[in-house]
Amino acid sequence: MEAVAKSVPTHKVNCVTGKEKINTFTRMDDIQNNGTTLVTNGNLCNGTDDTKQCNGGNNVVSNGVFVNGSSDSEQSNSTTDKVTNGAFLNGSPGTKQTMKLSEMPSFLQRSHIHIADTDRVKRIMHNIIQDGSKKLQIIADWDYTVTIGHIDGNKALSSWDVMEESKLLPHNNQERIKSINEIHMKAEFDHSMTPEDKMNDTIKWYRDIYDEIVKSKLQKGTVAQIVKDSGLKLRKKSEILFKKLQNLEIPTMVVSAGFGDFILEIIKLYNINMKYITVISNFFIYDKQNTIVGFTDPIYPFNKKEATVSETEYYKKFIDRSNAILIGDTVGDAKMDGGIIKKGNILKIGFLNGPERNPEYLKMFKQYFDIVVEDDQTMDTMIAIIDALKS
C-alpha cells in the first residue's frame, strides 16, 4: 500500500492556495459497400455518421448491431466482424463473445440505477471488459463513496466529523472545531458568494481546523483509537470488492479531502490488503514523540484534479493502465481523474446518497456521471462490473 503525501518541513500548516453509432432498430440509408455487408433484422452502424457507411471488408450483423472503431465518429474495418443476437464477436471471424451490446446488463436495469446515455455506457463497458483487468485502474473518493452515506436516513459520519465528535480530543479544542465548522458551513450554502469567495473560505476553513488539531497535541496512538471508537463504516461488500481487485491486481487510487490517517486506519480495521491501494489525502505530520505538529499540503474538494495529476510516481507505475472506473458522491468528484485517461476509457459512477436525493440532484448527477447509483449502501454495482472482467 502506498500513502501519498507531500511533507512540509515546518511545524505549521502549509496551505496551498457521441453519440455512439448504435441505433438497434433504425434503418440506415446511403450505404456504400466495397466488400460484402449483410444486415439481418437489425442494422449496421459503421462510418462517420448515421447515414454514410463505407466497408472495406466483410461485416455481418444478425439480429443486433455492429460497432467497430476507436471513437464515436471514426470507424474503419479491414477484417471480418460478426454480431449474432446482439453480441459483439471481435476479431477474425468472431470466435469469442465479450458482451452483448444490444441490451444493458441486468444489474444496470434496476430501478435505482440511472443512466443518461445508454449507448455510451455500453461502449465504455464493452471496451473496458474487452481490454481486461491489466488495463484497468480504480479512482475513488472516500467519504460517502467507499464509506456509507447514511444510517436509517441520517447522514453518516465523515472523517472530518469523527474528529469533531471524538471524546479523545481535548474539550476546548473540540468546541472550537465545532464553532469553526458552523461558521464555514454557512458559507458553504451561501448562494450569494462567488466560486472564488467560496474557494478562499474553504482554504481558511481547512487552515483553521488544522491549526486547532495541532494545538490539541494529539498523539499517533490516539488517532488510531479515535477511528476505532468512531463507528465509521464502509459500504456493504467493500471487503469483497477490494479482495476481487487484489486478486486481479487492479490498483486503486483513493483521492480524499478528508484525513488520510483515518482512511489508513479504517482500511486496517476491515482487514483489507493495501498492496494495490494508494491514498492521496491530507496526512498528519508527527514529531519524534509521535505528536501531531502539522499537515501535508492540503487537498481540498476543488483541487483533487491537480492533486492526482501531480502524483507522478503513481502514474509511472501504472502508465499502461489506460482504462479507469471512477467513483464519487459529488459532481466535483467526477473530475478528480485529472484528465489522465486520454486515450483509453473512463466509466464514471456517482453514488447519490439518501439525504441528497431529489430530482434536481439526480438530473445534475446524470450530467457528470455515466451511471448514477441512487441510495444504495452497497458495492454491488462495482462488484458486478469487476466480475465481468477477464483477468
Side-chain angles (χ1 to χ4, degrees):
M1 199 287 310
E2 181 182 2
V4 178
K6 298 178 181 177
S7 299
V8 288
T10 174
H11 288 182
K12 295 182 180 180
V13 179
N14 182 10
C15 195
V16 179
T17 62
K19 177 181 176 185
E20 188 173 19
K21 303 301 179 247
I22 303 177
N23 294 299
T24 310
F25 301 107
T26 303
R27 181 177 297 278
M28 297 296 154
D29 300 318
D30 300 333
I31 302 176
Q32 297 179 355
N33 301 294
N34 296 325
T36 301
T37 301
L38 300 179
V39 181
T40 305
N41 200 18
N43 64 77
L44 176 78
C45 293
N46 184 45
T48 58
D49 56 38
D50 285 350
T51 58
K52 297 180 180 178
Q53 304 177 40
C54 183
N55 302 288
N58 298 321
N59 303 284
V60 181
V61 178
S62 175
N63 222 7
V65 299
F66 177 91
V67 178
N68 187 47
S70 58
S71 69
D72 290 342
S73 59
E74 295 180 358
Q75 304 181 34
S76 177
N77 303 293
S78 57
T79 60
T80 300
D81 302 272
K82 296 184 179 180
V83 178
T84 305
N85 291 328
F88 183 89
L89 305 176
N90 188 43
S92 57
T95 55
K96 60 180 179 180
Q97 178 173 320
T98 60
M99 178 183 171
K100 289 187 176 182
L101 288 176
S102 61
E103 60 182 26
M104 190 64 72
S106 59
F107 65 86
L108 293 180
Q109 296 184 37
R110 298 168 185 168
S111 60
H112 68 290
I113 305 292
H114 305 275
I115 299 172
D117 188 339
T118 56
D119 287 351
R120 171 182 165 82
V121 170
K122 289 176 189 176
R123 173 174 55 81
I124 293 174
M125 286 189 60
H126 164 75
N127 290 340
I128 288 176
I129 292 170
Q130 177 71 13
D131 289 346
S133 60
K134 296 187 183 302
K135 290 291 184 180
L136 183 64
Q137 61 177 295
I138 309 297
I139 303 172
D141 171 55
W142 185 259
D143 287 320
Y144 306 132
T145 297
V146 179
T147 64
I148 58 174
H150 68 89
I151 301 174
D152 298 327
N154 297 312
K155 194 166 187 176
L157 294 178
S158 69
S159 59
W160 278 76
D161 299 325
V162 165
M163 184 63 81
E164 178 183 323
E165 298 291 330
S166 177
K167 294 180 180 179
L168 296 177
L169 191 70
H171 180 72
N172 289 340
N173 301 111
Q174 187 181 46
E175 289 301 310
R176 283 194 286 268
I177 286 176
K178 286 183 179 180
S179 177
I180 292 168
N181 284 336
E182 287 175 3
I183 291 170
H184 291 284
M185 281 300 291
K186 291 179 181 178
E188 184 78 2
F189 295 99
D190 184 350
H191 300 296
S192 67
M193 294 178 66
T194 66
E196 183 179 0
D197 288 340
K198 286 197 174 188
M199 182 178 68
N200 291 332
D201 184 81
T202 300
I203 292 172
K204 186 177 188 307
W205 187 356
Y206 273 57
R207 186 186 66 225
D208 291 347
I209 292 292
Y210 288 174
D211 285 345
E212 205 57 51
I213 292 173
V214 170
K215 290 176 184 176
S216 73
K217 300 185 183 300
L218 282 177
Q219 298 290 303
K220 193 170 187 176
T222 305
V223 170
Q225 191 61 47
I226 287 174
V227 176
K228 290 178 182 178
D229 295 344
S230 69
L232 277 173
K233 297 182 184 300
L234 302 186
R235 289 181 183 270
K236 292 179 181 179
K237 303 182 184 178
S238 289
E239 305 101 310
I240 296 174
L241 171 63
F242 282 109
K243 181 65 174 178
K244 288 177 180 290
L245 294 175
Q246 175 192 336
N247 291 340
L248 293 172
E249 299 183 349
I250 298 173
T252 297
M253 177 174 64
V254 173
V255 187
S256 173
F259 295 122
D261 299 74
F262 288 0
I263 294 172
L264 298 184
E265 289 298 329
I266 195 169
I267 289 174
K268 290 178 185 177
L269 287 176
Y270 274 82
N271 294 315
I272 294 171
N273 189 310
M274 297 186 285
K275 181 178 180 181
Y276 295 100
I277 300 174
T278 297
V279 178
I280 300 174
S281 188
N282 301 302
F283 286 90
F284 304 133
I285 296 173
Y286 299 94
D287 63 13
K288 293 181 179 179
Q289 287 72 45
N290 282 327
T291 301
I292 296 176
V293 293
F295 282 81
T296 55
D297 289 346
I299 295 177
Y300 310 107
F302 54 78
N303 74 342
K304 286 184 176 183
K305 176 179 178 180
E306 289 76 11
T308 58
V309 170
S310 66
E311 301 306 333
T312 55
E313 288 304 313
Y314 175 89
Y315 296 114
K316 285 178 182 177
K317 191 174 182 180
F318 301 115
I319 192 170
D320 293 329
R321 304 274 176 166
S322 56
N323 297 329
I325 299 174
L326 178 151
I327 56 175
D329 74 299
T330 67
V331 294
D333 290 337
K335 300 178 181 179
M336 65 183 174
D337 60 294
I340 59 167
I341 307 299
K342 293 180 172 61
K343 295 183 179 179
N345 306 272
I346 180 163
L347 183 70
K348 299 186 178 184
I349 301 175
F351 288 100
L352 183 57
N353 296 307
E356 286 81 27
R357 284 191 303 158
N358 66 59
E360 287 302 312
Y361 267 74
L362 177 57
K363 181 179 179 181
M364 181 170 61
F365 264 56
K366 288 170 73 173
Q367 293 175 357
Y368 287 87
F369 293 100
D370 299 303
I371 299 171
V372 179
V373 182
E374 186 177 17
D375 196 23
D376 183 343
Q377 300 297 296
T378 76
M379 284 294 188
D380 285 343
T381 301
M382 280 291 294
I383 289 172
I385 294 172
I386 297 302
D387 282 344
L389 287 171
K390 301 193 300 293
S391 60

